[in-house]
Amino acid sequence: MTIIDGKKVSEEIQGEIAAEVQKLKAAGKKIPHLAAILVGNDGASETYVGGKVKACERVGFRSTLVRLPDTVSESELLKKISDLNKDKDIDGFIVQLPLPKHISEQKVIETIAPEKDVDGFHPANVGRMALNLPTYLPATPYGILQLIERYKIETAGKTCVVIGRSHIVGSPMSILMARNTYPGNCTVTLTHSKTKNLKEICFSADILIVALGKAEFLTADYVKQGAAVIDVGITRVKSDKTKTGWKLLGDVKYDEVAPKCSFISHVPGGVGPMTITSLLLNSLKASKKEVY
Ligand code: NAP
């Protein structure tokens, strides 16, 4: 059984990105510049955006953080997005979600110019993903593809079961694993809360991608001997064994599932660390104009 170490892979890829930025600098070329819009001061969003800004610094990107109060109107936010769309110095940008209730997230996503949408949420980029055209892949699925590649997990002809059909994880993951490329060429089943016989379906999987957001949901009886299991779930639970008083659990009951697996990712330290790295990869693509 091999443990998929997302922290290690993430550090490797960020090292490669940093080396590329050094080369761009040495050649007098433009350094990638990522911007983030943060509305309000929700603690979790502050942490996520802070992590993204720090990662930019680590690899040598330029970054700009645009802070707006949570009272900002939808039209003011859309105007700010239009400004960033036109700003030639900014290669790509993200709007940190969730947004206050009075702002339509869909309108926001659709206002971002597809060529600067490094989160890969714009319908144009989702469509390009489905058509296997160059695009910005959404960060978490992109991170999972990187892990599959770096660990050389075979995918062609395999049965892949994805649990969860969200727009940010499960649904794109199912499209990507079915594409005619590597990683891909799987026979994919996308499951959700209305799926019947989930256990039997999961038991048929060579590759199981678990993203439903229920701590330790997937027990050993869902998993075929030798399967590769990728755990996307993150649930924060109280713990009297840690200094902080809480710990993170995945969607997989790791201790009993791991012995059956060929590959397995752990929470924390598996898929999570890859998400910001994927954003950096998308931003590099944007600055090199590799997609549009
Ligand atoms: P989400 O939007 O809440 O979607 C959950 C999906 O799971 C839904 O499609 C739901 O089905 C399905 N589901 C719920 N209960 C189920 C059950 N008993 N059996 C089968 N399917 C079930 O969640 P998400 O945003 O995709 O996130 C999923 C998990 O991944 C969360 O723990 C989240 O924190 C984590 N996550 C981690 C990262 C990372 O960087 N590692 C990134 C994103 C998310 P319905 O559609 O029928 O409701």
Side-chain angles (χ1 to χ4, degrees):
M1 184 265 294
T2 302
I3 298 171
I4 298 171
D5 187 342
K7 194 165 172 287
K8 183 172 136 258
V9 173
S10 181
E11 282 166 8
E12 272 169 26
I13 297 176
Q14 290 196 18
E16 291 161 14
I17 297 172
E20 201 161 338
V21 173
Q22 283 310 318
K23 274 193 203 149
L24 290 173
K25 266 191 191 158
K29 295 199 175 141
K30 186 178 180 303
I31 304 301
H33 187 177
L34 174 72
I37 300 182
L38 176 61
V39 179
N41 42 20
D42 169 73
S45 294
E46 290 266 3
T47 307
Y48 293 139
V49 170
K52 289 169 191 176
V53 170
K54 269 198 204 127
C56 283
E57 284 165 7
R58 259 200 313 276
V59 299
F61 285 5
R62 290 168 60 210
S63 66
T64 297
L65 176 58
V66 180
R67 283 178 175 277
L68 297 170
D70 57 7
T71 51
V72 71
S73 69
E74 186 178 274
S75 59
E76 283 168 319
L77 175 58
L78 297 182
K79 167 78 176 59
K80 188 71 222 172
I81 292 171
S82 301
D83 291 346
L84 291 180
N85 284 342
K86 286 182 224 134
D87 187 337
K88 290 207 163 51
D89 196 43
I90 305 274
D91 297 300
F93 65 97
I94 59 153
V95 180
Q96 184 65 43
L97 303 178
L99 292 168
K101 287 205 168 55
H102 64 278
I103 297 174
S104 155
E105 289 190 353
Q106 199 53 36
K107 254 194 208 168
V108 164
I109 288 169
E110 291 185 27
T111 304
I112 299 173
E115 64 273 19
K116 294 199 177 185
D117 167 42
V118 285
D119 259 340
F121 293 158
H122 191 288
N125 286 324
V126 178
R128 292 174 72 90
M129 170 182 68
L131 294 169
N132 205 5
L133 293 170
T135 189
Y136 304 116
L137 296 177
T140 303
Y142 191 13
I144 294 170
L145 292 187
Q146 296 287 327
L147 290 175
I148 290 174
E149 256 189 89
R150 298 264 165 162
Y151 279 88
K152 299 186 171 60
I153 299 174
E154 281 179 40
T155 60
K158 303 288 181 189
T159 300
C160 174
V161 173
V162 180
I163 311 183
R165 58 176 161 187
S166 73
H167 293 325
I168 60 163
V169 188
S171 183
M173 208 59 240
S174 70
I175 293 169
L176 292 165
M177 293 304 280
R179 294 193 305 181
N180 184 5
T181 185
Y182 177 76
N185 280 316
C186 287
T187 304
V188 179
T189 305
L190 178 60
T191 67
H192 44 77
S193 70
K194 311 289 188 300
T195 298
K196 291 197 174 118
N197 307 325
L198 184 65
K199 202 176 275 187
E200 290 77 52
I201 294 169
C202 289
F203 202 78
S204 72
D206 301 309
I207 302 170
L208 250 171
I209 300 174
V210 193
L212 73 160
K214 294 206 159 95
E216 299 190 322
F217 174 90
L218 197 96
T219 44
D221 48 343
Y222 282 73
V223 182
K224 179 169 79 174
Q225 189 70 37
V229 173
I230 300 193
D231 188 355
V232 188
I234 305 177
T235 305
R236 208 171 134 133
V237 293
K238 281 193 181 149
S239 167
D240 50 21
K241 292 195 182 107
T242 63
K243 272 190 205 153
T244 52
W246 54 268
K247 63 175 179 175
L248 299 180
L249 286 179
D251 285 349
V252 175
K253 202 154 193 192
Y254 185 86
D255 290 345
E256 64 175 63
V257 170
K260 293 184 90 174
C261 295
S262 52
F263 295 88
I264 186 165
S265 70
H266 187 258
V267 177
V271 173
M274 294 299 294
T275 303
I276 289 182
T277 299
S278 303
L279 178 68
L280 297 175
L281 283 171
N282 277 342
S283 304
L284 188 61
K285 277 189 190 176
S287 88
K288 287 160 71 184
K289 309 261 181 284
E290 278 181 0
V291 176
Y292 288 91

